[in-house]
Amino acid sequence: MDAAILTIGDELLIGQVIDTNSAWLAMRLNELGITVKARFSVGDNMSEIRDALYYATELAPVVITTGGLGPTSDDRTREVLCDIFECEMQENEEVLRYIKDMFAKRGWPLTDVNRRQALVPDRAKVLFNKLGTAPGLYFEDGSTNIFVMPGVPFEMKEMFTNQVTPHLKKLAGNQVYVHETRVFSGIGESWLSDHIKPWEEKLPKNVSLAYLPAPGIIRLRLSHLAQNEQEGRELLCNLFTEAMPLVNEYFVSAVDEPIAATLLHEMIASGKTFCTAESCTGGYIAQQVTSIPGSSAAFKGSVVAYSNEIKEKLLNVSSATLQQYGAVSAQTVCEMALNARLILNTDYSMAVSGIAGPDGGTADKPVGLVWIAVASENGVESQELKLGGTREVIIARSAVSAMFMCLKEKRKEQK
Amino acid sequence: MDAAILTIGDELLIGQVIDTNSAWLAMRLNELGITVKARFSVGDNMSEIRDALYYATELAPVVITTGGLGPTSDDRTREVLCDIFECEMQENEEVLRYIKDMFAKRGWPLTDVNRRQALVPDRAKVLFNKLGTAPGLYFEDGSTNIFVMPGVPFEMKEMFTNQVTPHLKKLAGNQVYVHETRVFSGIGESWLSDHIKPWEEKLPKNVSLAYLPAPGIIRLRLSHLAQNEQEGRELLCNLFTEAMPLVNEYFVSAVDEPIAATLLHEMIASGKTFCTAESCTGGYIAQQVTSIPGSSAAFKGSVVAYSNEIKEKLLNVSSATLQQYGAVSAQTVCEMALNARLILNTDYSMAVSGIAGPDGGTADKPVGLVWIAVASENGVESQELKLGGTREVIIARSAVSAMFMCLKEKRKEQK
C-alpha cells in the first residue's frame, strides 16, 4: 500500500523549522509496510493546501497530513477539507466536553477561540487528541483515506501511534517493509559500486539497494516487502553475508550508527580504553565519541594540540622531529599517538595532524594532506591521506579515517 | 518571485535521513526575497520524479531540485529531465576533463561509472561541482527555470551559493530583501521578547522581526524589502541601535556567526590566546573553535579531561579537591581553568565540568548540573548552570555559556 505525507505550515517554508514530523511519519509508515510515494510541505494557504491534497490523493490511497489545525486564523486545514468533501463544520459535543474538562482541570477560562476547536467537519471521524486541544480527523471516501493530525510533534506522535496506526494496519493487511543497513568506510561510492557489482546484479527483484554516503562513510541499505519481519530480515542478512567477501576490509558495522559509536562499543565490550591526540581535527573525534551516552566507560580524554608548543609540552613530541619533518608528517603523528597512549594511560590512541585549509597549504604540503596514526601495545602505525572538500569535510573525513584505522587495529588484535 | 523545492532520494521517504537540504534552501531563498510555495520529496523513481517536476513547475517559475545525480543506478534525475525536455545525454568535455583531473590528483583510476558523471542533457547549462563529481544542471524554458543540484549537502551548498544564487538574483530583479541579524546569549526567548516589547511594537510595518533560537543562543533577525541594499541595511541597523539599551548585557555579535567565531575573532584582533579544559563538553568547544579557518592564530589547544585521572595528571587538579568537592564543582572547574591557562600558556582559558546525562545524575548533582569557569590574568570566575534537555543540548548549552562567559570577561578587560 502507498501513502503520501503532507505537512502544513508557513514555518516549514522559510526553513526556520526542520520538518521532523514527516521524517518520523515516513519511518513509522515504512515499518508498517506502507511505501511513502512523496512527502510535501505547503504554507497556510487554502488554495495551496487544496491543490496539494488533490495531488496527494492521486498519488496514493492513504494521505497523512499534519499542521494547520490550531485555533488561530492562520490554520485553515479544516476549512479546505469541508470544501473538498462538501460538508459543514459542526460543533462536536464529545470534543467540546473533552476541551472543557481539560481547561477546568488546569483552572483556565474557556475562550471562544478554544471553543472553536470543537468544530469538526461533519463527514469526518474524530481522532481524539490526548495531549492537546486540536482534534484529528479521518476522512474515508471510496479508496481514499485522509488522516488529518495536529502539527505539534508530541501530540501528533501520540495520535498516530494510538489512533491512526490501527486503521492503517487494517488497510495494509499483513505485509511489513524490512530494511537492513551495513556501514562501510575507506572506499568511495563508485569504487564500492564496482566491487559489489556482481552481487548487486544478482539481487532478487523484490529487494532494493540504496547507497547512502556521508563524509568518509557509505551506508548500504537493502529493503524488502515481506510477509513477516523475521523472514524479511533473514533474507536481507543472508544477502549481505554473500556480499561480505567482496568488501570485508571496508566493513564498519551491521548496526546503523556513527562510526564513533561502533568504536566506543567495541572498546567497552572488551574492557579497553582509548584516547586521542588531535591537531587539525581540533577535538572533533573526542566530541563525536563523548556525544554518545556512557562514553566515559572507555574514553579517557584527548589532548587537542593545535600549536606546536602544545605538541611539545603536553605530548612530548621532540622539537627535533617538528623541525626536521614538520607538524604534518608520519614522524610527528607517530610520536603524538605513542606519547598520548602513555600519558593518558590507555590501551589505544589515535593521532591526527594535517592541513584542513582553506589557508596553510604549500606546494609540498597542500590543503587536504593529513597524517593519522594509531598506537597500541603492538606499537604504532601511520597512514597518509590526501583529502578533498571544504575545511569541514576534511576534518570529518580525517576523523572517520582515524577511527576506522583504530577499529581495524583493535579487530586485528582480537584475532 | 516564487519557487518550489524538490528533494529526490528513496532515503528521504523512509525517514532514515532528515531532509536538511530543503530547510537550508528555504532559508537561502527567503533571504533572496523569493517565496517558497511548496517543498516536496520523492523517491528515485522516474515517473514520480517526472510528475513532481510537472507539479512544481505549475506552482512556481523557479524549481530547485537536489539529489538523484550520482553515478549509481539508483540515481535517475538526469534521465527524467532528458525525457521532459526532449533532449539527449551527451558527454561534456569540460566536465570529463575536470573529473579526470580530480581523480588524477588523488591518484585514483577513472572507472566507467565515474566517466558516466560527465554525461549531461544537451539542453542544460552545466553548473560545475567544485567539491564532487556530479555536475549540476540549469534548464531554462520560457518562464520556467529548473536548477538541478546534487544531494550531498556540502556539494549542494557550494553550488547554490556560488552558481545558482547569481542566476536567481538576475531573475528576481531589482528589489533586494535585506536582513540584519543580532546574536544574543544568556537569556530565554520569552524573556528577550518581554525585554524588547516596547521596541518591537514600534517597528515599521514593512519591517519584519524573527526570533531564531538555538541551544544557548537567540538570533533576532529584521527583514525588509528595499529598493537598494545600502538603504535597507541602514534602516535595519538604526532600528537595532534603538533596541540595544534594552538588551546590551546579552549581546554577542552584530555578525550572524557562531559564538565561537565571535570569540575567536575578538581574541585574534587583540593578539590574545586562549585554550579550553573540557570534561562534559568532551572537546565540543575546541571543535567549534577549530572548525573556523585561521583559528590557530589565537587558539592553542585543549585538554579533554574526561576521567578524573586525566584531570589530575594533565591539569594538576588536586586529588583532595576531587575527593572533597567532586568533579562537578566550583572548586574543580576553577582549578581546571587556572591550571590550563598556565600549562597551555594562554591569556584566557575556559573550563567545563558537568553531568550531561542521560545517566550519572544523583539527587545532589542531577543531570544538567554544569559548572563553568574562565581564567585570565585577573584570576578566575565560575558559574553554576542548571540545564534541561537531551545530552546533546546540555553539551551545546554548556559550551555556549562558557564561550559567552569568556567573551564577557575579555570585553570587561578592554574597558
Side-chain angles (χ1 to χ4, degrees), chain A residues 99-111 114:
Chain A
I99 295 174
K100 277 183 177 167
D101 273 4
M102 186 180 225
F103 276 70
K105 262 185 212 158
R106 301 190 188 165
W108 296 342
L110 191 77
T111 66
N114 304 129

Side-chain angles (χ1 to χ4, degrees), chain B residues 11 38 65 96 106 121 141 146 150 167 175 186 207 212 256 291 308-311 358 364 410:
Chain B
E11 69 281 9
T65 81
L96 183 63
R106 300 190 189 165
D141 187 43
I146 305 182
H167 285 295
Q175 289 198 317
V207 169
L212 311 172
D256 190 7
S291 70
N308 281 351
E309 181 190 340
I310 308 293
K311 289 186 187 76
D364 204 29
K410 190 174 174 313

Side-chain angles (χ1 to χ4, degrees), chain A residues 12-20 22-24 26-27 30 36-43 45 48 51-52 55 59 177 179 181 189-191 193-194 197 200 209-213 215 219 221 223 256 279-284 286-287 290-296 299-307 309-310 313-314 342-345 357-359 386-393 395 397, chain B residues 10-20 22-24 26-27 30 36-43 45 48 51-53 55 59 70-75 103 105-106 108-109 111-114 116 131 152 154 210-212 221 279-284 286-296 299-307 309-310 313-314 342-345 357-359 391 395:
Chain A
L12 301 168
L13 296 186
I14 58 172
Q16 283 195 356
V17 167
I18 290 185
D19 180 14
T20 54
S22 77
W24 187 88
M27 271 195 285
N30 268 272
V36 179
K37 293 307 247 189
R39 289 163 50 180
F40 33 115
S41 307
V42 296
N45 172 300
E48 278 149 31
D51 289 353
Y55 178 58
L59 274 176
Y177 209 49
H179 307 276
T181 303
E189 181 176 354
S190 50
W191 280 27
S193 166
D194 282 348
K197 207 173 178 183
E200 187 174 349
L209 173 69
Y211 291 77
L212 310 172
R219 291 149 62 228
R221 195 190 59 219
S223 307
D256 191 7
S279 183
C280 71
T281 47
Y284 183 97
Q287 182 271 320
T290 58
S291 70
I292 301 158
S295 45
S296 59
F299 184 72
K300 289 176 76 173
S302 173
V303 173
V304 179
Y306 217 57
S307 70
E309 180 189 340
I310 309 295
K313 203 166 164 188
L314 284 175
L342 295 177
I343 295 165
L344 284 86
N345 187 26
D359 305 314
K386 288 173 179 173
L387 304 172
T390 59
R391 179 180 179 86
E392 190 187 347
V393 170
I395 291 173
R397 285 190 178 158
Chain B
D10 285 341
E11 69 281 9
L12 301 168
L13 296 185
I14 61 168
Q16 278 196 353
V17 167
I18 291 186
D19 180 13
T20 53
S22 80
W24 187 88
M27 272 196 283
N30 268 272
V36 179
K37 293 307 250 188
R39 289 162 51 179
F40 35 116
S41 308
V42 296
N45 171 301
E48 279 149 31
D51 288 353
L53 275 170
Y55 178 58
L59 274 175
T72 49
S73 52
D74 58 356
D75 292 313
F103 277 70
K105 263 186 212 155
R106 300 190 189 165
W108 296 344
T111 66
D112 279 355
V113 171
N114 304 130
R116 224 187 293 148
L131 304 173
V152 181
F154 71 90
Y211 290 77
L212 311 172
R221 194 187 63 208
S279 183
C280 71
T281 46
Y284 183 96
Q287 182 271 319
Q288 290 283 304
V289 171
T290 58
S291 70
I292 301 158
S295 45
S296 59
F299 184 73
K300 289 175 77 172
S302 174
V303 174
V304 179
Y306 217 58
S307 72
E309 181 190 340
I310 308 293
K313 203 166 165 191
L314 285 175
L342 296 177
I343 295 165
L344 283 88
N345 187 27
D359 306 314
R391 180 181 180 84
I395 290 173

Side-chain angles (χ1 to χ4, degrees), chain B residues 215 280-281 352 354-358 366-370 385-401:
Chain B
C280 71
T281 46
V352 188
I355 299 140
V367 169
L369 177 72
V370 177
L385 307 172
K386 289 173 178 172
L387 303 173
T390 58
R391 180 181 180 84
E392 190 187 347
V393 169
I394 290 171
I395 290 173
R397 283 191 179 157
S398 305
V400 167
S401 301

Side-chain angles (χ1 to χ4, degrees), chain A residues 93-341:
Chain A
E93 280 184 36
E94 221 180 328
V95 174
L96 184 63
R97 201 178 321 126
Y98 175 76
I99 295 174
K100 277 183 177 167
D101 273 4
M102 186 180 225
F103 276 70
K105 262 185 212 158
R106 301 190 188 165
W108 296 342
L110 191 77
T111 66
D112 280 356
V113 170
N114 304 129
R115 194 182 175 111
R116 223 186 294 151
Q117 295 271 266
L119 289 173
V120 170
D122 56 17
R123 276 215 34 195
K125 282 184 198 147
V126 170
L127 305 169
F128 279 89
N129 185 343
K130 297 214 177 98
L131 304 173
T133 54
L137 306 169
Y138 172 26
F139 292 88
E140 220 187 325
D141 187 43
S143 64
T144 294
N145 296 273
I146 305 181
F147 296 91
V148 178
M149 295 189 291
V152 181
F154 69 91
E155 297 178 14
M156 183 281 287
K157 289 176 184 175
E158 192 284 329
M159 188 179 287
F160 183 85
T161 306
N162 297 313
Q163 296 182 72
V164 176
T165 301
H167 285 294
L168 291 176
K169 280 191 174 158
K170 221 177 282 170
L171 292 169
N174 284 324
Q175 294 188 310
V176 271
Y177 209 49
V178 182
H179 307 276
E180 273 289 325
T181 303
R182 297 294 179 269
V183 183
F184 298 89
S185 186
I187 188 169
E189 181 176 354
S190 50
W191 280 27
L192 182 63
S193 166
D194 282 348
H195 271 69
I196 59 174
K197 207 173 178 183
W199 171 78
E200 187 174 349
E201 281 167 355
K202 282 192 304 181
L203 283 176
K205 283 240 165 66
N206 57 5
V207 169
S208 62
L209 173 69
Y211 291 77
L212 310 172
I217 290 285
I218 299 176
R219 291 149 62 228
L220 282 186
R221 195 190 59 219
L222 290 176
S223 307
H224 173 60
L225 192 60
Q227 291 311 311
N228 71 66
E229 165 101 24
Q230 199 196 333
E231 186 189 295
R233 208 161 291 287
E234 262 173 35
L235 169 70
L236 300 185
C237 286
N238 289 340
L239 286 169
F240 268 129
T241 304
E242 288 169 24
M244 285 311 286
L246 304 170
V247 286
N248 203 24
E249 62 182 304
Y250 309 108
F251 176 71
V252 175
S253 178
V255 181
D256 191 7
E257 63 184 6
I259 189 168
T262 308
L263 178 63
L264 176 69
H265 295 142
E266 296 197 11
M267 289 286 180
I268 293 175
S270 56
K272 300 288 185 183
T273 57
F274 67 115
C275 67
T276 66
E278 307 187 42
S279 183
C280 71
T281 47
Y284 183 97
I285 303 175
Q287 182 271 320
Q288 291 283 304
V289 171
T290 58
S291 70
I292 301 158
S295 45
S296 59
F299 184 72
K300 289 176 76 173
S302 173
V303 173
V304 179
Y306 217 57
S307 70
N308 281 352
E309 180 189 340
I310 309 295
K311 289 185 186 79
E312 289 185 41
K313 203 166 164 188
L314 284 175
L315 290 172
N316 297 335
V317 177
S318 82
S319 61
T321 302
L322 287 167
Q323 265 171 24
Q324 194 174 343
Y325 302 101
V328 182
S329 64
Q331 290 79 2
T332 297
V333 275
C334 285
E335 283 190 33
M336 286 170 69
L338 284 168
N339 297 347
R341 180 172 172 272

Side-chain angles (χ1 to χ4, degrees), chain B residues 88-100:
Chain B
E88 301 287 324
M89 296 274 245
Q90 216 168 30
E91 192 166 82
N92 182 301
E93 280 184 34
E94 222 179 328
V95 174
L96 183 63
R97 201 177 323 129
Y98 175 76
I99 295 173
K100 279 184 177 167

